[in-house]
Amino acid sequence: DDGRKPMEKKLLSKGSHQDIYVARPTDALPSWVAPGDVLQGALVLDKDKEAVSSMKVLYVAPPKSTAKNGDDEKSETKKKEDSLEDVVFKAKLGHLASLRTKNATVYKEIATTLMDERPESVPLLTEMLTFALEGPLPDGEADNEDQVRLAEVEKVYNQSLKENGGPIDPLALAQYFGLNEPDKDELDADDEAKELDKDMKEKR
C-alpha cells in the first residue's frame, strides 16, 4: 500500500480550499494500452455543474515493467549497436553540419533529401533548427533577419510535429515532463523506462 486512495466526498465552506493530487492509476492498465499511449479522463468537482467544474486529466502510459533477476542479468543486457544505415546517416548529418555556414543552397538540397530518408530524425531536425537560427540569410534579406529566421524556425517546427510525419508530440511531452516523469530509481531499475526517458529528453 503506497497511500493512494480515491478522494472521498467532501463539502467545502465558502472561502475554504482543498488540495487535490492526481496520482498514477491504482489498477493495472488494460492489456491493449501500449507504452506512450495518452489516456484521457476528467476530474469533476460537481456532477450537477460538470460543464463548469470539470478539468481534463491526461496520463502517458509508461513502459511495461519487466522482471529483473539482479545486477547480473542487468549487466548482461545487450546494448543496441548502430546499424550500417545509422552510421551512414550520421556521416551524412555531419557533412550537412559542415555546410551550415558555407553553401545554403546545397545545404537545403541535402537537408530535403535527408528529411525524405528519415523524417523522424531528431538530430536532423535539431541541425535544421540550428541552420534556421545561424545560417546565411538570402541576398537582400539582411534588414528582415528576424522575420526570415522566424519563418524558417516555424517551418522546421511544423516538420517536427507527429501530425506532419515528424517525431514530436507536444501533448505527450508536456504530460511526460509535467506529471509523469520517473525518478532516478525507477529509471535505474527499468531499461525500457530509461530508453523512453532518453527519447523524451532528446525530443524536448
Side-chain angles (χ1 to χ4, degrees):
D1 183 9
D2 59 5
R4 290 177 296 156
K5 61 181 180 180
M7 184 177 178
E8 300 176 351
K9 183 175 180 180
K10 190 176 186 68
L11 296 176
L12 299 179
S13 60
K14 184 176 181 180
S16 61
H17 75 278
Q18 172 68 46
D19 293 329
I20 300 175
Y21 298 92
V22 181
R24 64 184 186 278
T26 55
D27 297 327
L29 297 177
S31 59
W32 47 264
V33 174
D37 283 353
V38 180
L39 309 182
Q40 178 176 316
L43 175 64
V44 180
L45 301 180
D46 187 340
K47 291 184 179 180
D48 294 331
K49 299 178 181 179
E50 184 171 339
V52 295
S53 68
S54 64
M55 180 180 68
K56 183 185 296 185
V57 177
L58 303 176
Y59 178 77
V60 179
K64 295 181 179 179
S65 60
T66 54
K68 301 292 181 179
N69 293 325
D71 294 337
D72 291 340
E73 179 179 337
K74 185 174 182 180
S75 64
E76 294 174 1
T77 301
K78 292 183 179 180
K79 302 296 182 182
K80 294 181 180 178
E81 295 184 0
D82 289 340
S83 65
L84 177 60
E85 291 79 6
D86 292 331
V87 173
V88 172
F89 187 82
K90 286 182 179 179
K92 292 178 181 178
L93 195 56
H95 176 60
L96 180 67
S98 71
L99 296 172
R100 189 187 305 152
T101 59
K102 298 177 181 178
N103 192 320
T105 301
V106 175
Y107 182 99
K108 290 182 178 181
E109 291 176 353
I110 295 177
T112 299
T113 300
L114 295 182
M115 277 298 293
D116 290 338
E117 184 177 339
R118 293 195 179 185
E120 294 191 353
S121 170
V122 174
L124 173 58
L125 288 163
T126 300
E127 169 57 37
M128 292 170 62
L129 181 60
T130 301
F131 176 79
L133 295 171
E134 302 176 359
L137 295 170
D139 293 339
E141 295 291 351
D143 293 337
N144 302 315
E145 179 175 357
D146 290 344
Q147 293 88 336
V148 172
R149 295 199 185 281
L150 178 61
E152 289 298 317
V153 169
E154 185 175 5
K155 185 186 300 183
V156 176
Y157 172 75
N158 288 332
Q159 288 177 298
S160 74
L161 296 178
K162 186 171 286 291
E163 63 192 56
N164 296 327
I168 308 300
D169 184 341
L171 181 61
L173 285 176
Q175 180 66 23
Y176 183 85
F177 289 106
L179 298 175
N180 192 42
E181 187 174 4
D183 58 32
K184 185 177 183 301
D185 290 338
E186 290 177 319
L187 295 177
D188 289 341
D190 194 322
D191 289 335
E192 289 185 15
K194 184 180 296 185
E195 188 67 25
L196 176 63
D197 186 68
K198 177 182 177 182
D199 181 60
M200 285 293 190
K201 287 180 177 177
E202 183 179 40
K203 290 176 180 178
R204 180 172 63 172

